Amino acid sequence: MEITAIPRSVRASFKQLSDLFLLAEGGYLPVRGFQGSREVRHVAETMHLTSGEPWSIPIILPISAEEASALRGAEEVLVRDPDDRPAGRIHIEEIFPLDKSHYARHVFRTEDSEHPGVAWLASAGEYSVAGPVKLEPGWRLELRGGLPYAPSEVRSRIAQRGWKKVVGFQTRNPIHRAHEFVTKVALETADGLVIHPLLGETKSDDTPVEVRLACYRALLDNYYSPGHTMIAGFPAWMRYAGPREAIFHAQVRRNYGITHLIVGRDHAGVGKFYGPFDAQRIFSQFAAGELGIEPIFFDTVHYCRKCAAMTSPKTCPHGAEHHVSLSGTAVRKLLSEGQTLPPEFSRPEVARILLESGAHA
Amino acid sequence: MEITAIPRSVRASFKQLSDLFLLAEGGYLPVRGFQGSREVRHVAETMHLTSGEPWSIPIILPISAEEASALRGAEEVLVRDPDDRPAGRIHIEEIFPLDKSHYARHVFRTEDSEHPGVAWLASAGEYSVAGPVKLEPGWRLELRGGLPYAPSEVRSRIAQRGWKKVVGFQTRNPIHRAHEFVTKVALETADGLVIHPLLGETKSDDTPVEVRLACYRALLDNYYSPGHTMIAGFPAWMRYAGPREAIFHAQVRRNYGITHLIVGRDHAGVGKFYGPFDAQRIFSQFAAGELGIEPIFFDTVHYCRKCAAMTSPKTCPHGAEHHVSLSGTAVRKLLSEGQTLPPEFSRPEVARILLESGAHA
């Protein structure tokens, strides 16, 4: 990040533009702006705002020491996108040095630089600028795929369909049969399902967005009931904060009109930083109704040849020798060898796209 | 029903012994005795007790005019079972003539004698005896199958397992794959499942209890996870009151420690007396939390060859030509011709028992 020619402006990364967009569009309500030092510390320590409402991940706009100096005395800062277009404005309430160690310890539960969230924070500016935001007229976050992604757009589409109980599914991966199963299990007792892929930044070794979008389209066209399913984009970026990010994913989805969020095994986790069910257990730290959205928890899911169905340890009595389940590593190995994925693991239409994309090769 | 040799006693049918047992064992709480004329009328008209608590089916003990005369002036009546053993006592609060037309119109929504509930009521005594009940020491309702069936027994088994969210499944039929599917869908997001077959009296053309019990056992032994599933008996008898009986089934299950009851298509219905989703819609007539148990509603379920899975109109986009579903008539025809049921419809272990039982032949 560097200071642009015009003073009193900062150039933001795609990550921070995601946050700017979601703040301005009501995606982060009750949060309406980048948070100040007291709020950041309080959220990190308590998972609540100083006003008492729940909130699990501090929303910051890191800037360099040089940018911080250049902004001294300013009331407002213009945020520019990577193409130098004016994206939005922040009414400056505070510019403060970030306590990165405090943030990482609380939010990521680690300061290990192998953690992609910790690595991002380490590489980010040392200061943050806080205050309420608005978008510049005409500017809009650009997301691939042509899906609706503003909270109000998605809310109004849900309202048009008259859905009351609405399940949301967060994903940053292709949807294999295990994921399809959990979405359909949840949908069986709901009115509608929003497949809500995260389209903001992810790790470079995650499946590219274009490939994922093609997979989602193939799956929806062939295996979901259009009257009860929609797909929308989720413009947030991945923090890989595991449990904290599961709470964040739930609260932001509430602002999209979703009433129930699926939380599976190791939701928003990475490597071995979180236990497989930490992101489910954390919900018990909030009072009933406090988050304004209900989580739906799932155990590990696999195909069982004896059951001839997708199952979990809750519903299947058969041993692992009857189960079809592949690790991420096994999937990458099969695809890199030019082999297709088994139909019990992935729909043929999806497996073909992954094989032909060479994304895992 | 006839007057026994010993005065001040009545001999009860198996239906009324079911009610006696459930009343005495807390299965019908908040109801503790056979209901009087004012309560019966109020329940029929409002689906609530005069105390304000919800209750949908009046609990009566029909007796003949002769029995009613013989009980005049008595404070207590001994209830004998069909083997003439003393089963329990009623502290008599009222003996009153039944308004069968009023009861049938409200509870069964019909006075058509083709309705098995209406037919039962027509054949029952013209009076009813009301009052709180207790069982005679040593007497217990006899149910086939050796399953636990007292509310306290089932509650304590649930508590021992530490289950919090407990799904109940009411059934009076063999469990085919569609039923298995809805139980497992519900279990995926719960702690435990109670398969809770009704073992009181059913219509003579329903599958016999012994055959059903063998089917349940085969299914549980082969397709359910023992750590998350139990089977218990439900000693009530079928009224075939559709929507009213769905509410009744839910409230009685609450007394068994069940927190969520599956309510599928035409729950407790018969013939064409109720719309397929009437028994789901009726729950909206009660305030949130009023019943103390949550219903879980399911749409019609079928196997889809394109999805290679059990699905419903909510989760499957494919046409009926891809679906495997059999009417009750089609099932009876296949079995009576000595043919087995397709594996997409029924597990082979269950299909074999039904075929060999000759129950449908």
Side-chain angles (χ1 to χ4, degrees):
Chain A
M1 202 169 299
E2 53 178 314
I3 305 169
T4 60
I6 303 158
R8 315 285 163 140
S9 82
V10 291
R11 195 177 291 170
S13 68
F14 189 58
K15 284 186 174 72
Q16 273 62 62
L17 290 171
S18 283
D19 285 340
L20 175 73
F21 177 81
L22 281 161
L23 284 169
E25 293 283 321
Y28 287 171
L29 285 172
V31 179
R32 296 173 180 277
F34 290 102
Q35 297 175 313
S37 55
R38 182 163 162 262
E39 201 72 38
V40 166
R41 180 166 285 268
H42 195 78
V43 166
E45 290 175 359
T46 70
M47 294 203 291
H48 286 79
L49 302 174
T50 52
S51 63
E53 289 159 293
W55 193 259
S56 61
I57 293 189
I59 307 298
I60 55 175
L61 180 57
I63 56 175
S64 66
E66 294 72 21
E67 288 175 308
S69 310
L71 290 178
R72 195 162 299 148
E75 286 194 350
E76 197 173 70
V77 57
L78 185 67
V79 180
R80 293 183 176 277
D81 71 13
D83 298 326
D84 214 35
R85 290 177 304 175
R89 281 167 203 271
I90 305 171
H91 179 80
I92 301 175
E93 290 181 341
E94 186 187 5
I95 294 171
F96 62 98
L98 285 168
D99 185 345
K100 293 185 178 180
S101 168
H102 183 271
Y103 188 115
R105 268 197 329 272
H106 285 282
V107 176
F108 301 122
R109 297 186 182 179
T110 178
E111 294 189 67
D112 186 334
S113 62
E114 293 290 307
H115 188 291
V118 175
W120 159 75
L121 192 59
S123 71
E126 300 299 320
Y127 288 79
S128 190
V129 52
V133 304
K134 60 181 180 194
L135 299 184
E136 287 296 287
W139 185 87
R140 199 159 190 265
L141 187 72
E142 280 176 22
L143 283 192
R144 280 163 288 194
L147 302 175
Y149 60 86
S152 59
E153 277 178 292
V154 178
R155 276 201 314 271
S156 78
R157 289 184 190 213
I158 288 171
Q160 274 163 25
R161 300 202 184 193
W163 295 348
K164 297 284 178 274
K165 182 174 177 181
V166 186
V167 174
F169 181 63
Q170 146 71 26
T171 177
R172 63 175 201 265
N173 291 306
I175 297 181
H176 297 299
R177 287 197 63 184
H179 314 120
E180 178 191 331
F181 176 71
V182 299
T183 63
K184 289 185 170 179
V185 164
L187 176 55
E188 286 295 358
T189 58
D191 303 312
L193 169 70
V194 181
I195 302 280
H196 208 195
L198 181 139
L199 299 180
E201 275 188 14
T202 59
K203 294 187 280 102
S204 57
D205 58 344
D206 280 353
T207 310
V209 167
E210 296 77 3
V211 177
R212 287 199 280 132
L213 286 166
C215 291
Y216 301 144
R217 182 48 58 203
L219 196 68
L220 264 81
D221 285 351
N222 288 286
Y223 296 100
Y224 282 88
S225 177
H228 293 276
T229 311
M230 71 170 78
I231 179 165
F234 183 54
W237 54 284
M238 279 304 299
R239 275 85 174 169
Y240 302 96
R244 287 270 187 150
E245 197 159 8
I247 299 298
F248 170 77
H249 280 165
Q251 283 197 275
V252 184
R253 263 44 179 248
R254 176 199 58 192
N255 295 326
Y256 273 87
I258 289 165
T259 62
H260 291 71
L261 182 72
I262 291 170
V263 179
R265 201 179 166 284
D266 200 22
H267 186 104
V270 61
K272 300 222 177 285
F273 285 101
Y274 310 107
F277 298 103
D278 286 359
Q280 298 184 355
R281 274 192 285 264
I282 197 171
F283 281 85
S284 66
Q285 296 184 36
F286 297 87
E290 189 179 1
L291 297 172
I293 182 169
E294 295 298 317
I296 304 180
F297 300 136
F298 281 95
D299 206 331
T300 313
V301 165
H302 46 248
Y303 185 88
C304 172
R305 294 191 205 277
K306 288 270 254 183
C307 291
M310 301 301 303
T311 57
S312 80
K314 276 191 186 163
T315 51
C316 169
H318 307 115
E321 69 275 21
H322 302 293
H323 297 163
V324 180
S325 81
L326 296 174
S327 66
T329 309
V331 168
R332 279 187 289 273
K333 183 164 184 293
L334 278 173
L335 291 173
S336 69
E337 289 169 353
Q339 294 187 59
T340 192
L341 302 172
E344 296 88 354
F345 180 80
S346 200
R347 295 293 186 184
E349 295 85 348
V350 173
R352 194 175 311 123
I353 290 167
L354 289 175
L355 184 60
E356 290 173 0
S357 77
H360 293 88
Chain B
M1 205 170 297
E2 54 178 313
I3 305 171
T4 61
I6 303 159
R8 312 287 163 139
S9 80
V10 291
R11 195 178 290 169
S13 67
F14 189 57
K15 284 186 174 72
Q16 274 61 61
L17 290 172
S18 283
D19 286 341
L20 175 73
F21 177 80
L22 281 160
L23 284 168
E25 292 284 319
Y28 287 171
L29 285 173
V31 179
R32 296 173 181 277
F34 290 102
Q35 297 175 313
S37 56
R38 183 164 163 260
E39 202 72 40
V40 165
R41 181 167 284 268
H42 195 78
V43 166
E45 290 175 359
T46 69
M47 293 202 293
H48 286 79
L49 303 174
T50 52
S51 62
E53 290 159 293
W55 193 259
S56 61
I57 294 190
I59 306 298
I60 55 177
L61 179 58
I63 57 175
S64 67
E66 293 72 24
E67 287 174 308
S69 313
L71 290 177
R72 195 162 298 149
E75 287 193 351
E76 197 172 71
V77 56
L78 184 66
V79 181
R80 294 183 175 276
D81 71 14
D83 298 327
D84 214 34
R85 290 176 305 173
R89 281 166 201 272
I90 305 171
H91 179 82
I92 301 174
E93 291 182 340
E94 186 187 5
I95 293 171
F96 62 98
L98 283 169
D99 185 345
K100 293 185 177 181
S101 169
H102 183 271
Y103 188 115
R105 270 198 325 275
H106 285 281
V107 175
F108 301 121
R109 299 185 181 179
T110 179
E111 295 189 67
D112 186 334
S113 62
E114 293 291 307
H115 186 291
V118 175
W120 159 75
L121 192 59
S123 71
E126 299 298 319
Y127 288 78
S128 191
V129 53
V133 304
K134 61 180 180 195
L135 299 184
E136 287 296 289
W139 185 87
R140 200 159 189 264
L141 188 71
E142 279 175 25
L143 283 192
R144 278 163 289 194
L147 302 175
Y149 60 87
S152 58
E153 276 179 292
V154 178
R155 276 201 315 272
S156 77
R157 288 183 190 214
I158 289 171
Q160 273 163 26
R161 299 201 184 193
W163 295 349
K164 296 282 179 274
K165 182 173 178 182
V166 186
V167 174
F169 182 64
Q170 147 71 27
T171 177
R172 65 174 198 264
N173 290 307
I175 297 181
H176 297 299
R177 288 198 60 184
H179 314 120
E180 178 191 332
F181 176 71
V182 299
T183 62
K184 289 185 170 181
V185 163
L187 176 55
E188 287 294 359
T189 58
D191 302 311
L193 168 70
V194 181
I195 303 280
H196 208 194
L198 182 139
L199 300 180
E201 275 189 15
T202 61
K203 294 188 278 103
S204 57
D205 58 346
D206 281 352
T207 308
V209 167
E210 296 76 4
V211 177
R212 288 198 279 131
L213 285 167
C215 291
Y216 302 143
R217 183 49 58 204
L219 197 67
L220 264 81
D221 285 351
N222 288 286
Y223 295 101
Y224 283 88
S225 177
H228 293 275
T229 311
M230 71 171 79
I231 180 164
F234 183 54
W237 54 284
M238 277 307 298
R239 275 85 172 168
Y240 302 95
R244 288 272 187 148
E245 197 160 8
I247 299 298
F248 170 76
H249 280 165
Q251 284 198 275
V252 184
R253 261 48 178 245
R254 177 199 57 192
N255 294 326
Y256 273 87
I258 288 165
T259 63
H260 292 71
L261 182 72
I262 291 170
V263 179
R265 198 177 169 285
D266 201 21
H267 186 105
V270 62
K272 300 221 176 285
F273 286 102
Y274 310 106
F277 298 103
D278 286 359
Q280 298 184 355
R281 274 192 285 265
I282 196 171
F283 282 85
S284 66
Q285 297 183 38
F286 296 86
E290 188 179 3
L291 296 172
I293 182 169
E294 295 298 317
I296 304 180
F297 300 136
F298 281 94
D299 205 331
T300 313
V301 165
H302 46 249
Y303 185 88
C304 172
R305 294 191 204 277
K306 288 269 254 185
C307 291
M310 300 303 301
T311 58
S312 80
K314 276 192 186 164
T315 51
C316 169
H318 307 116
E321 69 274 22
H322 302 292
H323 297 163
V324 180
S325 79
L326 296 175
S327 68
T329 308
V331 168
R332 278 188 288 273
K333 182 163 183 294
L334 278 174
L335 291 173
S336 68
E337 289 168 353
Q339 295 186 59
T340 191
L341 303 172
E344 297 88 354
F345 180 81
S346 200
R347 295 293 185 184
E349 294 85 348
V350 173
R352 194 175 312 124
I353 291 167
L354 290 175
L355 184 60
E356 290 174 359
S357 77
H360 293 87

